[in-house]
Amino acid sequence: MEDTLIVLYCIVDSFCKEFYPEWEKQLLKQGLKKRRTPSRLSPGEIMTLVIYFHIVRFRDFKNYYTRYVMVYLCESFPHLVSYSHIVNLLKSVAIPWCIFIHTLKGEQTGIYFIDSMVLKICHIKREKQL
């Protein structure tokens, strides 16, 4: 899994090095650029941790970060921040992360899969009341 993490970080970091300068130019043109204080974790590291969370398939982000990242990945990410701080930092990479994921999708074929899990929203007796 360590090799997966390294490869993932290299891909994400390369994307961030290309994306962020262009994105900041666009924000400046639109007058939306705000001063942001630099974090100890780079945007590439934050995005890598979020994507890796989905790879290792933890149930929730808090246990993943506090019991896995802070224990086993502290050497790979020497500037880790507290859990509450990483939650605040997740907002700052939401748009770049979505764009990164969008760039990974392949050619659109028109064939897609949808999860068809049944969601029970009310008791069957009240089904016809709506």
Side-chain angles (χ1 to χ4, degrees):
M1 285 302 261
E2 186 71 25
D3 292 339
T4 305
L5 181 64
I6 293 168
V7 170
L8 176 64
Y9 175 73
C10 291
I11 294 168
V12 171
D13 193 52
S14 297
F15 168 80
C16 287
K17 287 179 181 175
E18 289 181 31
F19 176 77
Y20 270 92
E22 294 299 319
W23 190 39
E24 289 174 355
K25 285 180 196 175
Q26 291 297 324
L27 291 176
L28 282 174
K29 284 182 186 176
Q30 297 172 3
L32 300 174
K33 176 77 168 125
K34 295 180 181 177
R35 185 186 319 176
R36 69 180 164 117
T37 55
S39 172
R40 292 182 354 189
L41 284 174
S42 71
E45 290 173 321
I46 299 167
M47 287 172 55
T48 301
L49 289 172
V50 171
I51 296 167
Y52 201 64
F53 164 67
H54 294 284
I55 291 172
V56 294
R57 301 176 62 102
F58 269 74
R59 283 185 168 259
D60 61 280
F61 190 78
K62 184 174 185 175
N63 280 323
Y64 160 73
Y65 191 77
T66 57
R67 295 186 178 173
Y68 183 73
V69 173
M70 294 184 90
V71 175
Y72 299 107
L73 300 180
C74 56
E75 290 180 13
S76 299
F77 298 94
H79 302 292
L80 288 175
V81 295
S82 67
Y83 171 72
S84 59
H85 192 61
I86 192 76
V87 170
N88 287 330
L89 291 174
L90 292 177
K91 302 183 272 196
S92 67
V93 298
I95 292 173
W97 182 58
C98 289
I99 293 172
F100 173 72
I101 296 299
H102 185 72
T103 61
L104 295 178
K105 75 176 186 179
E107 180 183 342
Q108 295 182 2
T109 61
I111 301 171
Y112 305 102
F113 296 95
I114 298 173
D115 183 31
S116 59
M117 185 175 94
V118 176
L119 297 175
K120 294 186 178 187
I121 57 169
C122 63
H123 193 275
I124 193 72
K125 291 180 180 178
R126 294 192 233 24
E127 176 183 29
K128 307 240 189 280
Q129 290 180 355
L130 300 175

